[in-house]
Amino acid sequence: MCKAVILGTGSCLPERTLTNAELEQMVETSDQWITSRTGIKTRRISGAGEYNYRLAAGAGRKALDNAGLTAAELDMIIVATLSPQKIMPSTACFVQAELGADNAFAYDINAACTGFTYGLDLASKYIASQPEMKVLVIGSETLSTRVDWEDRNTCVLFGDGAGAAVLGSRDDGRGIFGSKLRSDGRLWNLLHMDGPESQNPALQPEDWQGALIRMNGSDIFKHAVRAMSGVVNDLLEQQGLSVADVDLIIPHQANIRILRKLQSRLDVPDEKLFVNVDKYGNTSAASIPIALDEANQQGRIKENDVVLLCTFGAGLTWASLLMRW
Ligand code: UT7
């Protein structure tokens, strides 16, 4: 039976690096606090012209090159983002135009940090019914445009960037073979973007303070550890596998302490856990595809390896996905 398989990966990061030392000049914080509480040392911040769709297209182009495909061969483009180029039209349509992917249809999904994994799952389901399809899935964020730079609780955490994967099909047992996707909308207010509700007709211009990220960090922390370890265990159990059968775990890169707690709950050895949160911070939907591309480029993933993704984000949303590379 055909399965959706990743044919190529790519990523694109803004030029500018923002260090903890620079953040010390912006809010009341310290390199010592940020490093010990989050593991983050640097993050990338978009500059002039480094728009969301351009980072996304840059990552997409590299993933196409890596797969040996052209943009004209794409049938579908999914962009996962919570910081879209515009609310309308979708960032995916901008990417389609930028790449010249004239034969594709394109749309965005918003599942916050979980978006790329939801996107892979979606692509795998299209490919299951139409194995000839080639699908580009991108996670791309310019969170720096959505961060309150006066709020030390959040501004030290987030970064910009994009990562992408091109999917096709194979019938040799390799590919995506399991996933579990979860949400709990009752807890939306733990992590959300401020701003006017679309349905509020009485909104005045002076009510508009900009759409900025608000987070209850310690509650999100606890939910993230519980939800990710739970969904990974559920998925492994469903597939009759254990952590010993997995070659590499690529988790959402939010905070090194979350990753270490997840590692200890799941009993994962260091060499099986991919970590790059120190370099890029939390890039939301872009975090897993950037990490996946780094792992791929570094040769950390070999043919037939079992790779497990797990993620957690606003919504709340969380998910895990398994593939044989
Ligand atoms: O992508 C998925 C969504 N996001 C996440 O997964 C993030 C989840 N949460 C976290 O990573 C952590 O909760 C944080 C890193 C945000 C905070 O770490 P924490 O250990 O949970 O700290 P806390 O929220 O309990 O705050 C401890 C103290 C507070 O001071 P008081 O009230 O105890 O005096 C904060 O005001 O640390 C203070 N604080 C800071 N101090 C220096 C918060 N941010 C900073 C800062 N620099 N940047």
Side-chain angles (χ1 to χ4, degrees), residues 28-30 33-34 37-38 113 152-153 156-157 191 215 217-218 220-221 224 252 254-255 257-258 282 312-313:
E28 200 182 325
T29 191
S30 64
W33 191 95
I34 302 170
R37 305 308 288 166
T38 73
C113 307
R152 69 176 182 172
N153 291 292
V156 302
L157 302 175
L191 177 53
M215 179 173 72
S218 56
I220 284 288
F221 190 109
H252 170 48
N255 180 325
R257 286 161 51 228
I258 293 178
N282 181 346
F312 174 87

Side-chain angles (χ1 to χ4, degrees), residues 151-302:
D151 176 14
R152 69 176 182 172
N153 291 292
T154 51
C155 75
V156 302
L157 302 175
F158 296 105
D160 299 339
V166 181
L167 289 94
S169 69
R170 297 185 72 97
D171 61 1
D172 57 1
R174 289 159 61 193
I176 295 171
F177 63 90
S179 62
K180 279 217 177 281
L181 315 186
R182 303 295 311 278
S183 321
D184 186 350
R186 291 170 303 182
L187 298 173
W188 69 269
N189 62 339
L190 295 182
L191 177 53
H192 61 102
M193 212 174 279
D194 247 356
E197 312 298 326
S198 299
Q199 69 271 25
N200 183 354
L203 186 79
Q204 299 298 311
E206 57 272 24
D207 296 330
W208 172 248
Q209 304 297 318
L212 303 177
I213 295 169
R214 303 292 171 207
M215 179 173 72
N216 176 332
S218 56
D219 278 4
I220 284 288
F221 190 109
K222 289 176 213 143
H223 281 287
V225 174
R226 203 178 307 136
M228 280 197 285
S229 55
V231 79
V232 168
N233 280 328
D234 287 352
L235 179 59
L236 288 173
E237 191 184 317
Q238 182 207 56
Q239 296 296 324
L241 299 175
S242 73
V243 167
D245 301 305
V246 176
D247 296 291
L248 189 66
I249 298 183
I250 302 183
H252 170 48
Q253 308 285 316
N255 180 325
I256 192 66
R257 286 161 51 228
I258 293 178
L259 299 187
R260 294 296 172 220
K261 278 191 188 297
L262 183 69
Q263 180 177 13
S264 106
R265 280 195 181 202
L266 296 173
D267 200 13
V268 180
D270 281 347
E271 66 276 12
K272 285 193 182 184
L273 190 78
F274 193 86
V275 176
N276 66 3
V277 66
D278 51 318
K279 289 191 288 187
Y280 307 124
N282 181 346
T283 56
S284 190
S287 137
I288 285 189
I290 291 170
L292 183 67
D293 182 47
E294 273 199 10
N296 189 21
Q297 304 306 333
Q298 291 169 9
R300 293 273 303 267
I301 320 177
K302 289 176 284 305

